[in-house]
Amino acid sequence: SSRDTFEYFLSGLGEINLNTLKDNFENYNEEQASAYQLDEDLFQRFINYRAALEHIDSNTVDKLDIDALQQLIDQIKSIQLQFFTPQEQQLLFAEENQLRELALKQLEIQQHTQNAEETAIIWEQEIDQLSPDLQLSYRNANLLGQLQRTKEMTDQERYLANQELVGTEAANRLEKLAIDRA
């Protein structure tokens, strides 16, 4: 994607200067067939956008509450709109913006529910409304968190918990991996 390519070229910042990165991008772009060339103006605006992000009020980041997160999301979207059309914003930041909104929604759910079980049920309903790719990502992240918590258990408890989470074959592989690491 355009975004991934832009991020790739900007990842070298610090090792080489910005002008060299721009030259590298232009050389790469010229080597592509015309149908696959990226908009150089869009790349420049992406660079400017990334520079503008550095000026976000970082005091709100220290507080992890709904209002602070909403302010941060609003600031980021405002900066995006300064540099990109709504279509470009959708192309470059749709998934990222959706993930921020989901983080905010998850925090709201946690604050407005009575217990962990109710939170899990409501959050699962939110996940069910996502695209299949995002559903899989969230479920995998949840599974990894659950597997991580089994490290505190005894060997037998961990094996049984892993077996329940991922099945016998995967639990056996995880156990072998734990033995190999030890």
Side-chain angles (χ1 to χ4, degrees):
S1 73
S2 298
R3 167 80 185 265
D4 292 336
T5 305
F6 296 163
E7 292 287 357
Y8 170 77
F9 279 96
L10 291 178
S11 69
L13 198 57
E15 298 170 16
I16 54 178
N17 68 37
L18 186 58
N19 289 331
T20 304
L21 288 175
K22 288 179 188 178
D23 291 343
N24 291 345
F25 173 77
E26 289 172 10
N27 292 336
Y28 164 82
N29 212 22
E30 289 172 5
E31 293 173 1
Q32 305 305 309
S34 61
Y36 297 105
Q37 288 186 354
L38 300 172
D39 184 348
E40 291 181 16
D41 175 61
L42 186 63
F43 182 56
Q44 181 59 53
R45 287 185 284 138
F46 189 78
I47 292 169
N48 296 343
Y49 162 76
R50 292 273 304 264
L53 287 178
E54 293 178 15
H55 301 293
I56 286 181
D57 181 15
S58 61
N59 293 332
T60 61
V61 177
D62 295 337
K63 299 177 273 180
L64 190 60
D65 62 20
I66 293 173
D67 293 334
L69 280 178
Q70 187 62 61
Q71 272 186 337
L72 180 62
I73 290 169
D74 292 344
Q75 285 179 350
I76 291 170
K77 285 184 176 180
S78 174
I79 293 171
Q80 289 172 359
L81 286 173
Q82 288 175 21
F83 294 98
F84 306 103
T85 66
Q87 294 83 9
E88 291 168 338
Q89 189 180 7
Q90 180 69 20
L91 173 75
L92 295 171
F93 306 108
E95 186 175 324
E96 179 181 314
N97 289 341
Q98 184 179 19
L99 292 174
R100 279 192 202 95
E101 293 292 338
L102 283 170
L104 183 64
K105 183 70 172 175
Q106 188 175 29
L107 189 56
E108 287 173 348
I109 290 170
Q110 289 172 351
Q111 288 185 355
H112 294 101
T113 53
Q114 302 287 332
N115 55 49
E117 187 177 313
E118 183 182 3
T119 301
I121 291 169
I122 294 172
W123 180 241
E124 191 65 32
Q125 291 170 351
E126 286 292 324
I127 290 175
D128 288 343
Q129 296 175 26
L130 300 175
S131 68
D133 289 346
L134 285 176
Q135 286 181 26
L136 182 62
S137 292
Y138 271 97
R139 290 197 170 97
N140 285 342
N142 183 39
L143 179 61
L144 287 174
Q146 290 174 322
L147 289 171
Q148 188 68 28
R149 287 188 288 277
T150 65
K151 289 186 177 193
E152 306 300 320
M153 299 176 177
T154 67
D155 291 347
Q156 183 65 27
E157 290 172 331
R158 181 181 61 243
Y159 178 79
L160 292 173
N162 287 347
Q163 189 177 27
E164 186 178 320
L165 290 169
V166 295
T168 303
E169 186 178 325
N172 289 336
R173 289 195 311 264
L174 287 170
E175 198 58 33
K176 182 183 180 321
L177 180 62
I179 292 169
D180 289 349
R181 284 183 177 162

